[in-house]
Amino acid sequence: PGDIVADFERRRLRNHHVNLEAIALASEGVLDPLLITADDTAEHSAGSVEQVWLRQWTRVLPIAGEVLMYPGADEVAAVLVARQLAAHFGVTPRFTVECADPPGMERIAKYENSPMREAVERQIRASGSLVVNDPGAMVLVVHAPDPKRRDHCGMVIDRSGQHDANGAAFDVADTAEAVKTADLIATLLAAGRDVALADLRYSNGRRGILLDIVAYGGWNTAGNALGSVVAAAAAIQIGRAAGTLDAGAAQRMLLHRLIEDYAYMTLARNPYNAGVYSFRDRGEEARAEAAVADDLDASLKRLTGRLDLGITNVTFPWHRSFEIDFTIVGDLA
C-alpha cells in the first residue's frame, strides 16, 4: 500500500539525513573515525544506493580523518573498544589475512554489498589495526562465504546424510572447503603462528584444533562475525603488548563464541529454527532454556574434555530463539 511505501521512504530519508550530517561533522574534524556500517543491506538495496551518494560527499569534502563504509552493525561497539584500547596503550595490532579459497575473498556474502576482501580490510582498519605482510603477525583466517549464499540457520545437519531443511544435500564443496580451511589453520599453528578464525561460509553459521586458536566468530551476518573476531584478536594483541592480558578471560571468550556460534546456532537451536521463533509464553521459554542448557553444557564438556566446566544462566534476552545468553562457569585461569 502507498502509505506503507511512503512511511518506509521517509524513514530512509531520515536515516540518510543523519548520515549526511555525520559526514559534515567528519569534514569539520568533530568525528574521527566515522564508521558508516550497514547490516542486512544487500548489493542492490536502497541502502547501497545511498552509500553511492555518501561516498561522493566524502570525496568532495575536505576530510582529514577516516571515513569507512562497510557491512556490519552488531559488532561495531566491540570494534571501537578495540580501537580505543589500541590508542590508549599506543599499540597497533597487526594481521596477515589468509584464505584457503582465495577467489572466495571476492565474493559478496549474503545480506551484504561489498566483496569480502574489502570488508576484511575495513573491519581491521576500523579496529585500529593494520594488514601487514609479516610472518610474525597474527593470522586472520577467513573461511570464505558460500558461493550459493545459503544460510546455516534452518539447515539441519544429521549424521546420516547432511541435508538442509528443504531436503537438498550439502554439496561436496562444503566439506572440501571446510577441510582446506582446517588444513590451513593446522599448518599455521604448526608453524607457531597465532590464528583467529572468521568462519563466514554461511550466514548464521570443526576438528581438534579449535581450542588452539586465539579467537573465533561464526554467527549472524559475515560482517557481524568478522568484526567480532577482529576485535577480540586485536584486544589480545594489545593485552600482550601492554602486559595486561587476562589469558583466562580470553579463553572464556573463545569458548563462549564457540558454544554460541556453533553449539547453539547450528545444533541446539534446531527445534526453534522457524525463522525468528518467539516463545508463546514464559512456560515454553523456561522449558527451552532448560533443554538448551543441557545441550550446551554437554557440548562444552565434549569440546574441552573438562567435566569441571559448565553452562548456567541460559536466557533468551528478547524472548525469541534468535539470541541467547549464558554463563560459562569453572576455572579458566
Side-chain angles (χ1 to χ4, degrees), residues 23-316:
I23 290 174
L25 291 172
S27 74
E28 296 165 5
V30 176
L31 297 178
D32 181 22
L34 171 60
L35 311 181
I36 300 179
T37 64
D39 234 4
D40 300 325
T41 302
E43 191 174 1
H44 301 291
S45 66
S48 293
V49 174
E50 290 161 16
Q51 286 186 356
V52 174
W53 305 331
L54 295 172
R55 285 194 183 92
Q56 175 61 15
W57 285 111
T58 65
R59 294 187 188 103
V60 300
L61 287 171
I63 299 177
E66 193 167 35
V67 178
L68 297 173
M69 281 182 269
Y70 59 88
D74 298 20
E75 81 297 338
V76 173
V79 169
L80 287 175
V81 167
R83 187 183 184 103
Q84 191 65 13
L85 288 172
H88 177 75
F89 288 105
V91 176
T92 301
R94 305 184 311 146
F95 293 93
T96 61
V97 179
E98 298 277 357
C99 181
D101 175 23
M105 294 296 286
E106 300 304 319
R107 290 187 201 123
I108 297 175
K110 190 177 179 70
Y111 312 121
E112 298 192 349
N113 63 358
S114 65
M116 187 50 54
R117 171 183 48 79
E118 290 183 8
V120 168
E121 189 267 342
R122 290 170 188 172
Q123 288 273 18
I124 290 175
R125 283 173 58 191
S127 73
S129 307
L130 292 176
V131 176
V132 298
N133 183 18
D134 181 352
M138 183 178 287
V139 187
L140 176 65
V141 171
V142 177
H143 191 195
D146 173 30
K148 295 183 179 180
R149 297 165 68 88
R150 289 170 290 180
D151 192 313
H152 209 305
C153 177
M155 291 182 176
V156 180
I157 305 176
D158 65 26
R159 302 191 186 280
S160 61
Q162 291 197 318
H163 59 278
D164 66 22
N166 298 316
F170 282 94
D171 48 54
V172 175
D174 289 305
T175 299
E177 292 302 326
V179 169
K180 288 192 330 189
T181 297
D183 287 344
L184 171 62
I185 294 172
T187 299
L188 291 166
L189 291 172
R193 302 290 296 275
D194 287 324
V195 177
L197 172 60
D199 195 357
L200 312 180
R201 178 78 178 176
Y202 304 105
S203 306
N204 299 317
R206 262 127 158 101
R207 204 166 180 164
I209 58 177
L210 278 176
L211 298 184
D212 294 327
I213 63 177
V214 297
Y216 176 87
W219 178 68
N220 218 340
T221 63
N224 294 165
L226 174 61
S228 297
V229 72
V230 166
I236 287 169
Q237 292 186 54
I238 296 163
R240 287 176 176 171
T244 61
L245 179 66
D246 183 336
Q251 181 74 357
R252 190 177 301 277
M253 184 170 187
L254 171 63
L255 288 175
H256 197 108
R257 291 262 56 87
L258 290 170
I259 295 300
E260 180 173 342
D261 299 358
Y262 172 61
Y264 176 67
M265 293 299 171
T266 67
L267 297 175
R269 186 183 165 193
N270 279 340
Y272 318 105
N273 266 349
V276 181
Y277 180 79
S278 296
F279 297 103
R280 291 186 293 266
D281 53 45
R282 178 58 192 143
E284 183 186 37
E285 186 174 352
R287 289 189 293 274
E289 289 169 352
V292 167
D294 289 342
D295 287 345
L296 299 189
D297 188 77
S299 293
L300 177 64
K301 289 176 169 58
R302 185 167 57 250
L303 177 67
T304 62
R306 290 183 52 178
L307 298 180
D308 61 317
L309 297 180
I311 300 289
T312 63
N313 301 327
V314 171
T315 60
F316 298 97

Side-chain angles (χ1 to χ4, degrees), residues 9-30:
E9 298 299 352
R10 282 192 293 268
R11 292 171 187 270
R12 297 280 356 150
L13 180 60
R14 180 178 62 186
N15 189 70
H16 192 56
H17 282 168
V18 172
N19 286 332
L20 286 170
E21 183 60 27
I23 290 174
L25 291 172
S27 74
E28 296 165 5
V30 176

